């Protein structure tokens, strides 16, 4: 396990989840799973091989999160901007849920995982939607880890739609502008029933948010690592949680 690649970290090697049990476990962890393409290119493989390997990693990190007692794991799997990619690559990513869910659903059901999707259905091909909706249906009554895929998701679109809803309600006279506060706005976001992420992990060395949960990340702790998503192991995940446990969250206070 490489320690020098973790930025801002306390460089502590965490070999087992038990080492984390004395600290606070974040309730909601969000991940920007970046670097699949570069991981593949570095190995002389087509970019889509990186996405396939990234898909395999989803399972490993989901199980690690569940075992730590994390309540919600949100994974940024496809953004509203990712449609700009070559059609072959988009088609491949749209095929991943079709492969992933039938393969993993039994174990996810058995682990009481509740699958959700945050994003828009428009534009997503029917076979992809069917795979996702089946998985959501199969796990609808599960009460364990919420595995939330941000799929065809973009934060500016989400915030613009929330704003449009408010404008409509004001125009129709059902909302007084004086009633508009943070709660009124947040309840119109797609994540209205989820707590904000406590920790955001971004792999691949990019230091940006990329239109992901811009409102919800207001006080989220950020963790960046140079590692590409397919090479980000459970051990690296534990390191991120350890780093989170060293942070003092002040929310603007003292
Ligand atoms: C970003 O890396 C990754 C994506 C756009 C796709 C992520 C999808 C998965 C990891 C699989 C999701 C699984 C399911 C079941 C939906 P990149 O391609 O931008 O990497 P690069 O920056 O190196 O090019």
């Amino acid at each position: 396990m490489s320690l020098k690649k973790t930025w801002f970290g306390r460089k502590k090697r965490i070999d087992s989840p038990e080492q984390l049990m004395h600290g606070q476990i974040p309730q909601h962890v969000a991940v920007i799973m970046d670097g699949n393409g570069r991981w593949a290119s570095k190995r002389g493989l087509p970019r889509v091989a990186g996405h396939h390997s990234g898909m395999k990693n989803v399972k490993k990190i989901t199980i690690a999160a569940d075992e730590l007692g994390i309540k919600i794991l949100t994974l940024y799997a496809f953004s509203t901007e990712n449609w700009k990619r070559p059609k072959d690559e988009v088609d491949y990513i749209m095929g991943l849920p079709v492969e992933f869910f039938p393969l993993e659903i039994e174990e996810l059901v058995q682990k009481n995982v509740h699958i959700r999707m945050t994003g828009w259905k428009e534009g997503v091909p029917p076979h992809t939607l069917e795979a996702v909706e089946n998985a959501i249906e199969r796990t609808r009554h599960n009460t364990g880890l919420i595995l939330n895929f941000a799929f065809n998701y973009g934060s500016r679109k989400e915030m613009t739609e929330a704003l449009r809803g408010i404008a409509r309600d004001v125009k129709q006279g059902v909302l007084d502008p004086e009633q508009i506060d943070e709660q009124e706005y947040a309840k119109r976001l797609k994540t209205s029933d989820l707590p904000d992420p406590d920790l955001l992990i971004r792999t691949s060395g990019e230091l940006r948010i990329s239109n992901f949960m811009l409102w919800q990340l207001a006080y989220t702790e950020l963790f960046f690592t140079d590692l590409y998503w397919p090479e980000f192991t459970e051990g690296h995940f534990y390191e991120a949680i350890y780093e989170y446990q060293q942070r003092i969250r002040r929310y603007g206070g003292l």
Side-chain angles (χ1 to χ4, degrees), residues 33-38 47 51 54 77 82 85 96 100 149 229:
M33 307 182 288
D34 196 13
N36 291 345
R38 278 167 284 167
R47 287 179 54 81
H51 295 313
N82 286 153
R85 295 187 176 205
L96 291 177
F100 179 81
F149 286 94
W229 172 248

Side-chain angles (χ1 to χ4, degrees), residues 7-27:
W7 296 354
F8 311 137
R10 298 293 195 279
K11 312 283 186 291
K12 185 171 165 73
R13 187 184 169 119
I14 307 291
D15 295 309
S16 93
E18 283 73 41
Q19 287 168 264
L20 298 167
M21 290 310 177
H22 303 294
Q24 177 128 37
I25 298 295
Q27 200 184 3

